[in-house]
Amino acid sequence: MDKQQLSKDILKLVGGEENIDQVTHCMTRLRFNLNDNKKADKATLKNTPGVMGVMENGGQFQVIIGNDVPVVYNALVGNMSKSPDAKPAASSGTSKKKNPLSAVFDFISGVFTPILPAITGAGMLKGIVALLLTFGWIDATSSTYIILSAIGDGAFYFLPIILGISTARKLGSNMYIGAAIGASVMHPTITALLAPGENVSFIGLPVVAATYASSVIPILIAIWLASYVEKAIDKVTHASLKLIVVPTVTLLIIVPVMMIAVGPLGVIIGNGLTDGINWLFNNAGLFAGLLVGGAFSLLIITGMHYALVPIMIGSIATLGYDYLIPLMMMANFAQAGSALGVSLKSKNKQIKSLSASTGVTALMGITEPAMYGVNMRFKKPFVAALIGAAISGAFVSFFQTKAYVIGGLAGLSGIPMIIGPTFVYALIGIIVAVVVSAVLTYIIGFEDVPEAVPSAEATPAAEPTTPAATTSASAVTAVEETKALDQDVFSPITGEVKSLSEVPDPAFSEEIMGKGFAIQPSEGRVVSPINGTVFSLSKSGHAIGLVSDDGAEMLIHIGIDTVKLKGQFFSPKVQAGAKVAVGDVLMEFDREEIEKAGYTTITPVIITNMHQYHSIESAGRTTIKEKELLFTAKA
């Protein structure tokens, strides 16, 4: 394939050079920050030979190329009259042309995603404690109950400190100054001083009484202001004095400003949003549930659901319950129902298996594989899921169904969130969401994929070429396609074996890149799964391309969107061109730090030249160690 021509086609179809703000690439994709995504001809791009797929994610327009992406990128840049000023994806939020609404969602997502484990763990514990108390298995006056309650409440009560760290990290300022700002307004002396009825002032300026425990918006605004103050002070301070002057002046300015102006304003905004949602569901519950429930999956696709997280937390903190969480659950269960409906309707064994497994995953609250890999792929099931979510949302809202804690995913694992007086209505709503979506999918139907019937006379050379065939590794190996042999692939990582359908990225879950399996690592090391050659290693270290001595071309992709880490937490042990044997160490990575940064470490291990193989045969393991057989590519 002519990479020069491909790069010219892509340049034209993304709207031309004038529509490109920034462009970079990872192991398999061109990542564009376009001035206007609508100017890109997405449909034509998808059907362009050499393009495996097109995605829009996190404000980026991504064109999936495969292992040839460095060649195409260089050709693309060479065809541009000026430098694309490519920057790492993580910094794209600073683009002066970035849509303001996208910037807000990116900010909220970046702040709340890293702290979700703390909130989820604490919330789950609160739900479990409530369950124990409901069934009389624990005494509310016992020290055990008090300790468990404190563990569950701690993350929420001291939320300003946790958010101070996360917000500062997102804004690129000092995380510990952010924590110090949150800790200052949570100090017991300040809490007592700001008790209602007390007249408080600071250097003559009135300090309005406000409660900061469990609050969200005041600390977000305060740390946003602190990021500017910190940078301004840093610029005018001599290097020898920065350590003392910058944090001191930042704290001295921001904490009083927060207490005098930001805090009261933030509390007013937060309470206003909470009261508004409360009023809406109390006065127009059925219609509110119909609208929000039906639209929730669309909000998830666009990332707009992150904007509702502060409202959910604020509602539970101030009212003790929330109306939005049950609607999120209805949307997730509806996606599960549609995927299960596809499994019942499809005649294709592979589609049946894929939709059943992703449907079960969605029941647990992880909807991306079902939503992207099945429902949106066949279109009508996705519509059925929106209708199922709208109907079940209307039902639970009519009965004012509430969530009482935040914790767990919005699926079966999140059941403790809805335990309370309206629990029965929530359970009925779940059944309605699953059944209605599944039945609608079955009745409406969809364009099924005919099951391929292998011919006994067919040879690998006679098989149709798939998009995954366009890889640069073919230049590395001299093995003829007609002489492909079965390829045993051994596990490069110790962990839990997953289906590709469980990977939250359509490029892998829909097998656009190739076929294989994914591994959820339990250790931070990657070894070679084959005897062969390393033909590519991404600069960020998150992806490794290999070609075996028998001609199998492989990709090991550590985590999803981990290219944004720009190599942080990755330590390559080989270089491109290195000869390797099964078990040779390729990469070490800090699994815990990557996950703390908000990225999943699930690792697809795939064959990218599947046109040379007719199937993938699993070794049947659910957990696996390095160098154990993972699967065999059958030639």
Side-chain angles (χ1 to χ4, degrees), residues 185 190 194 198 200-202 205-213 215-222 225 254-273 275 318:
V185 296
I190 297 296
L194 297 181
E198 297 288 336
V200 182
S201 64
F202 178 77
L205 298 173
V207 176
V208 181
T211 301
Y212 293 99
S215 65
V216 173
I217 294 179
I219 193 68
L220 294 180
I221 299 174
L225 292 174
I254 293 300
V255 175
V257 167
M258 183 177 180
M259 295 173 65
I260 293 168
V262 172
L265 176 63
V267 170
I268 290 171
I269 294 173
N271 288 342
L273 290 172
D275 292 343
T318 57

Side-chain angles (χ1 to χ4, degrees), residues 141-495:
T141 61
S142 69
S143 57
T144 299
Y145 171 81
I146 294 172
I147 292 171
L148 289 175
S149 296
I151 297 171
D153 288 334
F156 294 96
Y157 184 83
F158 292 103
L159 194 58
I161 299 175
I162 297 174
L163 280 174
I165 295 170
S166 185
T167 307
R169 174 186 173 276
K170 174 63 180 174
L171 294 172
S173 52
N174 191 295
M175 295 185 293
Y176 303 103
I177 293 178
I181 293 171
S184 297
V185 296
M186 291 301 300
H187 193 282
T189 303
I190 297 296
T191 302
L193 186 66
L194 297 181
E198 297 288 336
N199 292 321
V200 182
S201 64
F202 178 77
I203 58 172
L205 298 173
V207 176
V208 181
T211 301
Y212 293 99
S214 302
S215 65
V216 173
I217 294 179
I219 193 68
L220 294 180
I221 299 174
I223 303 302
W224 176 69
L225 292 174
S227 68
Y228 287 97
V229 172
E230 182 183 335
K231 290 170 185 174
I233 301 301
D234 185 79
K235 284 183 179 179
V236 299
T237 304
H238 189 273
S240 63
L241 298 174
K242 287 182 187 291
L243 181 62
I244 299 172
V245 174
V246 175
T248 303
V249 176
T250 302
L251 288 171
L252 195 56
I253 292 174
I254 293 300
V255 175
V257 167
M258 183 177 180
M259 295 173 65
I260 293 168
V262 172
L265 176 63
V267 170
I268 290 171
I269 294 173
N271 288 342
L273 290 172
T274 299
D275 292 343
I277 293 292
N278 193 41
W279 180 90
L280 179 65
F281 282 92
N282 284 334
N283 293 276
L286 187 149
F287 298 103
L290 186 76
L291 178 63
V292 179
F296 226 113
S297 291
L298 298 175
L299 297 179
I300 292 172
I301 291 171
T302 60
M304 292 173 64
H305 64 296
Y306 282 107
L308 301 176
V309 174
I311 299 175
M312 295 174 185
I313 295 174
S315 293
I316 289 178
T318 57
L319 302 175
Y321 56 81
D322 175 68
Y323 288 117
L324 294 173
I325 293 173
L327 295 179
M328 183 185 291
M329 296 183 75
M330 297 306 112
N332 285 0
F333 281 111
Q335 292 293 337
S338 285
L340 294 174
V342 170
S343 180
L344 293 172
K345 183 80 171 180
S346 178
K347 303 299 183 184
N348 185 308
K349 291 181 181 179
Q350 185 178 4
I351 298 299
K352 274 184 172 291
S353 175
L354 172 66
S355 53
S357 62
T358 57
V360 172
T361 303
L363 288 174
M364 298 307 296
I366 304 172
T367 58
E368 286 86 352
M371 188 158 60
Y372 292 111
V374 177
N375 298 339
M376 291 180 68
R377 174 182 177 183
F378 293 110
K379 298 180 179 63
K380 289 182 180 179
F382 184 70
V383 175
L386 297 183
I387 296 172
I391 294 173
S392 57
F395 175 84
V396 296
S397 295
F398 179 77
F399 290 100
Q400 296 188 342
T401 306
K402 306 174 181 70
Y404 300 91
V405 296
I406 293 181
L409 299 169
L412 292 176
S413 62
I415 291 295
M417 295 191 291
I418 53 176
I419 293 176
T422 58
F423 182 53
V424 173
Y425 300 118
L427 291 181
I428 295 173
I430 290 171
I431 295 171
V432 169
V434 174
V435 173
V436 168
S437 301
V439 171
L440 277 177
T441 297
Y442 195 89
I443 293 174
I444 296 173
F446 51 90
E447 189 175 343
D448 201 5
V449 177
E451 190 162 16
V453 180
S455 170
E457 299 177 358
T459 64
E463 292 179 5
T465 301
T466 66
T470 57
T471 62
S472 62
S474 56
V476 180
T477 177
V479 178
E480 296 293 332
E481 293 186 4
T482 55
K483 296 180 182 179
L485 303 173
D486 288 359
Q487 178 66 60
D488 287 336
V489 177
F490 299 89
S491 179
I493 301 175
T494 296

